[in-house]
Amino acid sequence: MRPRTIEELVGQQQLRAAGSPLRRLIEGDQSMSLLLWGPPGTGKTTIAAIVSQQTSRRFVEVSAVSAGVKEVRAAIDGARAELVRSGQETVLFVDEVHRFSKAQQDALLPGVENRWVTLIAATTENPFFSVISPLLSRSLLLRLQSLTDDDVAEVIDLALVDERGLAGATGLDDDAREHLVRLAGGDARRALTYLEAAAGAAASNGLDAIDLGVAETAVDQAAVRYDRQGDQHYDVISAFIKSIRGSDPDAALHYLARMIEAGEDPRFIARRLVVHASEDIGLADPTALQAAVAAAQAVQLIGMPEARINLAQATIHLAIAPKSNAVIVGIDAAISDVKAGRIGLVPPHLRDAHYGGAKDLGHGKGYRYPHDEAFGVAEQQYLPDVLADASYYVPTSLGAEAGVKERWERIKRIVRGKG
């Protein structure tokens, strides 16, 4: 079922668009080296094969898992000899190029620099960390995105009817299709593997269609009742956040596992953790936000399934952390006053006094520079008159915020002249 032309390629609309580098390479028959970066099953090997077929180039594949410098040089020497002998160019496809050592990647440079080969290298890891700079600078970097559920469903539907697939011999129920799509996790190759296994199971049972039961049995994984756009989506994420707020890491991990297995977008989970770290923990544990943001960055850098570990670590951290909602209560109270019109003028001594004529207006007059004061705190009014006694941030005595509360109370007495 591997696509034979760029028109048959599913997903990656940004690479298939008119005028895109991939289009120009194929339709213009240009010699250009590519570095394809993306998750498994998104079409990296397929794109290399399409370039070879549609431009009538030889296709030579080298696996970074098993090949060494000797094999790389042999492939380039063979491409050079073929170019001299017949004029035919060669597409050299290097899968998992991040596994190559520096010496092995260096061996690719002569072929790329002299245009003896059209190098197409594929990697699932960030090439800025795993590919040497000379090779990176001589290649056009194309980033592939995970296939959407609709893309994977399209791949499955094509395989059901195509003569290279099941050729219409087996049907597929809607709920079974949804299950296979969800398990594929944006990986077309995995989707086809599961479909083939399910079709074989259906045939063994004398069935002419794959139902949900057959699909579950064939891939040995029960369907998770979860609709990413429906009630389950909102119910499970709600239970997840409330379990963290309630300091139950076991319950939080359960709901996290349900979302992961159902194919929920890990970036959505990470965003909720970042929000929760400030909304329900705040300064009771200042490291909570750092942990949540780090998990969100790990999701982007590493991707699934490995990033499940980072999400789990952040979930546990937030669940067992002391809780405080003082941050959200404070900002919401301040916003409420602003919306109600309690704004007032900025006190004159706080206004900008750097432009000509500002001092004549009294701007900055009487301002006390805190660094010149004892303890680095000056007694003066910062809020507008109408809000002079407002108190938005009310720290709790929980966790690290207990120390913050003690310090804030001392500072407040000095700032507002009550100490």
Side-chain angles (χ1 to χ4, degrees):
M1 287 302 302
R2 189 181 297 282
R4 295 159 291 192
T5 66
I6 193 171
E7 286 74 21
E8 290 184 358
L9 185 66
V10 174
Q12 314 306 335
Q13 283 78 8
Q14 77 283 4
L15 302 184
R16 296 159 50 199
S20 66
L22 184 58
R23 281 276 185 187
R24 295 200 309 272
L25 174 62
I26 293 174
E27 297 174 355
D29 201 16
Q30 300 174 337
S31 181
M32 182 189 306
S33 292
L34 300 179
L35 186 56
L36 305 177
W37 173 26
T42 52
K44 297 185 292 295
T45 306
T46 292
I47 288 174
I50 289 174
V51 170
S52 173
Q53 293 170 11
Q54 290 201 253
T55 59
S56 300
R57 290 181 171 98
R58 291 172 64 244
F59 183 78
V60 176
E61 182 174 356
V62 174
S63 174
V65 176
S66 56
V69 174
K70 180 180 178 181
E71 288 77 10
V72 171
R73 288 176 177 165
I76 292 176
D77 289 343
R80 182 184 182 186
E82 185 64 29
L83 185 63
V84 171
R85 186 181 66 81
S86 65
Q88 186 180 31
E89 297 181 8
T90 298
V91 170
L92 176 60
F93 178 63
V94 180
D95 196 14
E96 298 190 79
V97 68
H98 58 271
R99 293 179 180 269
F100 266 173
S101 66
K102 182 181 182 300
Q104 290 169 310
Q105 292 186 34
D106 282 337
L108 294 169
L109 290 176
V112 174
E113 292 174 338
N114 295 295
R115 302 284 177 99
W116 296 333
V117 296
T118 295
L119 174 67
I120 300 183
T123 178
T124 56
E125 297 188 5
N126 190 327
F128 293 101
F129 298 116
S130 58
V131 177
I132 61 174
S133 297
L135 188 58
L136 193 60
S137 64
R138 289 167 173 79
S139 306
L140 184 64
L141 177 62
L142 299 181
R143 186 163 187 181
L144 281 69
Q145 305 296 330
S146 292
L147 300 183
T148 66
D149 286 353
D150 289 341
D151 292 334
V152 175
E154 182 180 348
V155 169
I156 290 175
D157 290 341
L158 288 171
L160 287 170
V161 298
D162 195 284
E163 61 182 10
R164 296 175 298 157
L166 298 178
T170 305
L172 180 64
D173 291 354
D174 289 342
D175 53 357
R177 177 188 285 102
E178 291 176 5
H179 182 48
L180 295 179
V181 168
R182 186 176 297 129
L183 291 180
D187 187 329
R189 186 168 50 237
R190 187 185 302 167
L192 292 173
T193 300
Y194 289 161
L195 176 63
E196 187 173 18
S204 299
N205 292 322
L207 303 174
D208 57 5
I210 302 168
D211 59 22
L212 180 59
V214 169
E216 289 179 316
T217 302
V219 300
D220 193 26
Q221 190 162 347
V224 179
R225 309 299 175 181
Y226 188 93
D227 179 1
R228 287 172 59 177
Q229 280 77 43
D231 290 342
Q232 296 99 327
H233 167 81
Y234 296 103
D235 289 346
V236 173
I237 194 63
S238 175
F240 175 62
I241 292 301
K242 288 173 180 173
S243 296
I244 297 175
R245 182 181 296 138
S247 301
D248 189 333
D250 293 327
L253 286 175
H254 166 75
Y255 293 116
L256 175 62
R258 281 174 63 167
M259 289 188 287
I260 290 173
E261 286 301 299
E264 180 61 82
D265 186 346
R267 296 170 300 177
F268 168 74
I269 303 172
R271 287 194 296 268
R272 293 307 307 163
L273 288 171
V274 173
V275 172
H276 177 79
S278 291
E279 179 180 355
D280 288 296
I281 298 171
L283 296 180
D285 180 359
T287 66
L289 181 58
Q290 298 172 10
V293 171
Q297 292 173 336
V299 167
Q300 296 285 356
L301 181 64
I302 299 173
M304 299 297 279
E306 289 84 357
R308 76 190 189 283
I309 309 169
N310 308 109
L311 290 173
Q313 178 177 334
T315 296
I316 296 169
H317 185 138
L318 270 59
I320 63 176
K323 305 298 189 292
S324 169
N325 68 346
V327 172
I328 187 174
V329 169
I331 185 59
D332 284 354
I335 289 174
S336 178
D337 274 351
V338 170
K339 287 182 175 179
R342 298 188 67 201
I343 297 176
L345 298 175
V346 174
H349 59 280
L350 298 184
R351 297 178 191 174
D352 182 17
H354 290 87
Y355 61 90
K359 292 185 178 180
D360 294 337
L361 298 174
H363 292 191
K365 185 178 181 180
Y367 173 66
R368 299 177 64 182
Y369 189 52
H371 293 290
D372 292 337
E373 304 293 329
F375 310 112
V377 180
E379 177 187 341
Q380 64 185 336
Q381 181 178 327
Y382 291 96
L383 281 164
D385 290 341
V386 70
L387 295 167
D389 293 324
S391 182
Y392 298 125
Y393 178 51
V394 183
T396 69
S397 298
L398 302 172
E401 201 168 34
V404 175
K405 179 180 181 180
E406 182 181 351
R407 173 168 171 75
W408 170 225
E409 288 175 348
R410 292 199 310 269
I411 293 173
K412 192 173 183 179
R413 287 193 296 268
I414 297 173
V415 171
R416 303 199 177 176
K418 297 178 181 179

